[in-house]
Amino acid sequence: MKKILMTTAALALVSAPALAAGEITVVRAIDANNYDPHKSTAQANAEIMFMLGDTLVSLAPDMKTIESGIAKEWEVSDDGLTYTFRLHDNVQFCDGKKLTADDVVYSIERWIDPETNSPVAWRAGEVESVTAIDPFTVEYKLKSPFSELLYQLAQSFGTIIDKDTVEALGPDFGVAGFNGTGPFCWVEWTPRDKMIMDKHEAYTWGAPFHKNTGPASLDRITWQIVPEENTRTVAVMTGQSEVSPYIPVIALKQLESAPGVEVVRSDLAPYTYYIGFKIDKETVSDPVVRRAINLAVDQEAMAEDLFFGEVEPAYSYVTQDALDWNHDLDDTLLKYDPEAAKKMLDEAGWVPGDDGVRAKGGVRLSPLIYTFAESTYGKQVEAVQSYLREIGIDLQIESFDATVVWGKLATQEFDMYTMGYPYVSSGDALNLYFRSENIPTPNRMNWNDEKTDELLDAGAAATDDAERAKNYGEVLKMVHDAAAWLPLYHDPMVIVQSTDLETITPHNLYGAGLYKGLDLKFKE
């Protein structure tokens, strides 16, 4: 039997006193760099934002149906350029202030303001203007149609924020506090430790797909950072945590038969893990090197050996059943062939030295990869490092805490990086990562291509499904042909919960499985 080793902090968690009724602890692997919806692309940020705030519209758990948010209804003009949102008139911020159309206007304008420098401003579309027509009506005008606008407005980045709090906290907004309209209110955040939130008693405007539209059934939720996989597992098994979307796959089979624990899954919108290349760095600027790296890594073996078959090996940047995937690429995807990788490097002049590491023109193939100091990412990069040694590439690894890594990933100091991300369509993924305006983050590859930008604009503006798929399909071909990434695996949403709770329906929006927390409830 494998021994479970725990740090002092971990032991403190699993030996902590039981929580009071109406309180739960969620254990998770990493923290966000901040809790400002406009300034973070972290899944950890989205998990908190959905609970602390609201968006104009909501996306149902089927990942297709748009329902009400703080807007109870809306209309779209025939030309797709004008959206008119009519707001609920009873929405309140946690401090008791009533939400009006002015708050929506402020939030969208801050989101797209160049001074905000939001890495996700593109998700708001090409905005012409956002206007408060009356206290509870917002007119949202676009310069060109955006077929995914409502979906993007349902993301955590579209969270409506309080101007007074932003101005009062300045650079500490989302660090020292947050005043939202969500089902829960900010109590305390201790970076790299925990986030505590309490029930928003006035909340009654949840989307119709919730079993409970508010107020929340729980009085308090504590999000506890526990980096060690084994400790997260023990916490759920011993009742010190009631729920976690971050249980290692090695424990799932055991937990499925464990008393007092339930495992729930959803594969409606997988989470894809990949390694990206900074394509203008001399070590990986050669497309031959990038293709060879793709051929050197055995994703199928990684899925089995590291993740016990609970994940799907990935050879594509989005799943091949994602909306607008280009099926012309199916038979061209790069798969494990280390001998072909070696031959390719030999022919390109990358010659092994006395130590077995290849070099060319004085450049040694020792690329530096930045990654998260968290066990899932650690296993990935160590496995890739081992595969690359077999073809003469000496991968150097630097790991950073999640509150630091986002800043490091915005630099030009590395050659490769690890990342995982959620999406529901090819366009969602491509617009996030491959727009030139998104350099240096989240376009950490420095992919700067005018044709790509034109095709992404055309795909976003398309009002015809076939035209949208055609444009996005061309981009998919370009980035796959360039081997801009090394895809690793597609990971389904898995939540492990106490049987004391009602069975959870996972919500896959941006990987935030618990979404707003409205349906988290102890059994009666």
Side-chain angles (χ1 to χ4, degrees), residues 308-326:
F308 305 92
E310 295 283 349
V311 303
E312 178 187 348
Y315 309 100
S316 56
Y317 300 176
V318 297
T319 60
Q320 289 163 261
D321 58 0
L323 178 66
D324 296 334
W325 166 253
N326 183 353

Side-chain angles (χ1 to χ4, degrees), residues 232-392:
R232 295 197 295 273
T233 302
V234 171
V236 174
M237 292 180 69
T238 59
Q240 298 305 310
S241 168
E242 288 73 19
V243 59
S244 178
Y246 294 95
I247 298 301
V249 293
I250 190 174
L252 293 180
K253 293 290 189 226
Q254 177 186 6
L255 290 173
E256 284 173 349
S257 58
V261 177
E262 182 177 2
V263 179
V264 291
R265 290 179 170 85
S266 172
D267 59 2
L268 288 175
Y271 202 95
T272 294
Y273 286 88
Y274 72 94
I275 288 175
F277 302 103
K278 196 170 285 293
I279 60 173
D280 53 0
K281 293 296 285 286
E282 60 181 1
T283 49
V284 292
S285 61
D286 186 346
V288 171
V289 171
R290 302 196 299 270
R291 291 179 68 85
I293 289 174
N294 272 262
L295 292 170
V297 175
D298 189 346
Q299 289 96 327
E300 185 174 354
M302 286 179 65
E304 288 296 328
D305 297 344
L306 300 182
F307 303 104
F308 305 92
E310 295 283 349
V311 303
E312 178 187 348
Y315 309 100
S316 56
Y317 300 176
V318 297
T319 60
Q320 289 163 261
D321 58 0
L323 178 66
D324 296 334
W325 166 253
N326 183 353
H327 284 285
D328 290 343
L329 295 175
D330 287 348
D331 297 329
T332 68
L333 298 174
L334 298 172
K335 296 188 177 181
Y336 183 56
D337 191 343
E339 293 308 312
K342 292 176 185 177
K343 182 179 179 182
M344 184 182 297
L345 291 169
D346 289 340
E347 292 175 350
W350 290 97
V351 180
D354 294 339
D355 60 355
V357 178
R358 295 176 182 268
K360 177 182 178 180
V363 177
R364 181 179 162 89
L365 266 187
S366 299
L368 172 65
I369 187 168
Y370 277 5
T371 187
F372 295 78
E374 189 270 326
S375 53
T376 297
Y377 287 98
K379 287 188 292 189
Q380 293 172 16
V381 295
E382 288 170 6
V384 170
Q385 182 185 55
S386 178
Y387 282 121
L388 296 189
R389 283 176 182 152
E390 295 298 315
I391 66 166

Side-chain angles (χ1 to χ4, degrees), residues 48-60:
I48 301 303
M49 282 296 100
F50 283 129
M51 291 190 174
L52 295 182
D54 288 308
T55 50
L56 276 167
V57 294
S58 304
L59 186 67

